[in-house]
Every structure is written in structure tokens, then in C-alpha cells.
Amino acid sequence: MTPVAPVAHAPTRLVRGLILGSIGLVFAIPIVAMVEFTLRSGLAGGHDFSRWTALFQGGFAGPYRAVLVALGNSVGLAVGTVVLVLLLLVPTLLLVHLRFPRLRRLMEFVCILPISIPAIVLVVGLAPVYSVLGRLLGSGVWTLAFAYGITVLPFAYRAIQANLDGVDVRTLSEAARTLGAGWVSVLLRVLIPNLRRGILAGAFISVAVVLGEFTIASLLNRNTLQTSLVVVSKADPYTVVILSLLALTFAFLLLLVIGRLGTVRTGSRRRPTTGGQP
């Protein structure tokens, strides 16, 4: 088998290391500064772990217990938003791509439009809708998933559409239909596996946006992670930085698990080769 020649303009390993190192440094500097801030001993100088140990020994009791409740609300909202957006967006994109290609420009305009609307304007428009929604279904924090679905729609659309442009879904669907597969089987067993990378990327961005969103939750008076951190910061700025670091760690681990699920699923489909052939 002829080896594949390297790309002529691909960066060298040193250049890739410098780029990744520079990006990592940009992210690491504020995080290190946050850690150093939480370890300060005050006017006496020096550093210690007294604030960290006091927080964990107290078991997040008192005013900090609300942060755990808010974290659970944000995680539930992230899951609900991802499910809502993917259930609506993926079949619609496939339908437009296969059946109504002339509507692609209109679809792109509708999906990208929310990114140009400020969050406060979006809340003003959604307030009457939420008043009716509250009377019919209640005003629980879960209702934010509808507003968050609109917020993350542009990012999820671009991630999935970029993957969709690189896959010949028309040929795949026609081949599956020729072999006798129904449309449900074509969608679940042929098209979605080929769009897994774009779907996971859309889930990544959706989770990150939901966990970091503050404006919509604050204006609609919902208890989420970011709004609870603002409340805690008014009483103890050191503790709120510790909680922010823990929230960043949790979000990073959550995104790592989502990415790992896609990697494990891809690796499980590989089969051992025989006869020295790939």
C-alpha cells in the first residue's frame, strides 16, 4: 500500500507545539491567577488552604448549599437543551438537504439570526411567551431550555452543517433505501453515525453556552449556576472564586466525557485486520 505523502503546507511538530502552548498559556494565566487569589492570607501576606478546607469541611452548608442546587439546575438545563436542539435540528437539516435544497439559504438565515440578537432583547421578546408558559406548564427552571435552545441554535447549526457538507448523505440514503431500509433505519443507522462528529461538536458548544449563560437566567429570575455565584460573591468573593474553579473543572470533565463517548463508540466499530491488509 503506497504511503500517503504529507500535506505540503502542514505545520511542523514544533509549530504545532508552539501554537498549542500559546493557546494553553492564554487559558492557564487567568486560572492560575484565580487559584492564587483564593490562597491569599490577607494583609498578613503568604498563602494557605484555609478557605478551601473551610468550604469542604462545612459541606457546602448554609448559603453555599444553593450553589449545589443551582449546579444541578444548570446540568439539567444543559442536557435538556442539547436534546431539544438536536431533536429539532438534525432531522430538519437532513430533510432540507435531501428534499428541499432550495430552502437551505432560508434555513441558514433562521438558524444564524439569534446570534445577532442581544440577550436582553431576546428576553424582552420571550417575556410574554413565558408568562403564558408559566400559567400552562409552570415556571420551573426547566423552562429555560426553550430560551437556551434559541441561544445555542447558531453554534449547533454551524457545527452540524459543516459535518453535513463533508458527507454525501444523498448517496448514502439512496443506497440504504435500495437495500430495503426504512427511513427510520436510514436516519438512525446510516446518517446519524456519519454525522457523529458534528453532533458531538454541537453538544460541546451547547453545554458550554448553557453552563456559562447569565443574562437570560437573571432577567427571567431563574436559579442557575451563574446567578447563584453572583449572589454568593456579594458575601464572600474568595469563596465564589473557589466555586467558579470547581464549576470550570466540572464543565471540563463533563465535556471530556461527552468527547470520550464519541471516541469509544468510533473505536468499538473497528475490526481487526487479517492477511496484512488494512
Side-chain angles (χ1 to χ4, degrees):
M1 188 174 179
T2 305
V4 180
V7 181
H9 300 288
T12 63
R13 181 175 299 180
L14 177 61
V15 174
R16 291 197 298 268
L18 291 175
I19 294 174
L20 293 176
S22 301
I23 296 174
L25 188 64
V26 170
F27 284 100
I29 289 177
I31 295 177
V32 171
M34 292 171 67
V35 174
E36 190 275 334
F37 177 76
T38 62
L39 299 178
R40 293 179 186 176
S41 298
L43 297 178
H47 298 80
D48 56 47
F49 290 90
S50 59
R51 296 185 180 90
W52 288 80
T53 55
L55 178 63
F56 285 103
Q57 287 176 357
F60 292 93
Y64 308 128
R65 189 171 185 82
V67 178
L68 293 180
V69 177
L71 178 60
N73 292 339
S74 293
V75 173
L77 283 172
V79 174
T81 302
V82 169
V83 172
L84 179 64
V85 170
L86 294 183
L87 286 179
L88 292 177
L89 189 58
V90 174
T92 304
L93 284 177
L94 290 173
L95 182 63
V96 170
H97 194 85
L98 293 174
R99 295 291 188 181
F100 308 102
R102 293 184 179 181
L103 298 179
R104 178 174 174 177
R105 294 295 183 185
L106 178 61
M107 179 74 180
E108 182 175 3
F109 173 77
V110 172
C111 291
I112 298 298
L113 185 61
I115 202 173
S116 63
I117 302 176
I120 188 170
V121 177
L122 189 63
V123 171
V124 172
L126 289 175
V129 178
Y130 269 86
S131 64
V132 176
L133 188 64
R135 291 194 298 268
L136 295 178
L137 301 176
S139 57
V141 70
W142 63 271
T143 57
L144 276 181
F146 300 111
Y148 285 169
I150 298 174
T151 303
V152 305
L153 184 61
F155 309 103
Y157 168 78
R158 291 308 310 165
I160 299 173
Q161 184 62 49
N163 193 180
L164 188 61
D165 290 337
V167 178
D168 191 356
V169 294
R170 184 180 297 276
T171 300
L172 291 174
S173 60
E174 290 177 355
R177 291 287 292 170
T178 302
L179 295 174
W183 280 113
V184 176
S185 298
V186 172
L187 178 65
L188 298 180
R189 303 181 62 181
V190 178
L191 299 182
I192 288 182
N194 284 279
L195 298 177
R196 184 182 299 112
R197 182 174 299 178
I199 292 174
L200 286 176
F204 271 136
I205 301 173
S206 299
V207 170
V209 171
V210 171
L211 292 180
E213 204 285 324
F214 169 77
T215 305
I216 295 177
S218 177
L219 294 177
L220 291 178
N221 296 319
R222 300 297 193 274
N223 182 28
T224 62
L225 177 62
Q226 298 302 321
T227 57
S228 65
L229 289 178
V230 172
V231 173
V232 174
S233 67
K234 297 178 181 179
D236 189 349
Y238 293 99
T239 302
V240 77
V241 175
I242 296 176
L243 295 174
S244 298
L245 287 170
L246 295 176
L248 284 173
T249 304
F250 175 79
F252 174 77
L253 293 176
L254 183 62
L255 295 177
L256 192 64
V257 168
I258 295 175
R260 187 62 180 172
L261 289 176
T263 304
V264 172
R265 183 65 180 272
T266 303
S268 64
R269 289 175 173 269
R270 297 177 180 176
R271 295 290 184 269
T273 57
T274 59
Q277 297 180 355

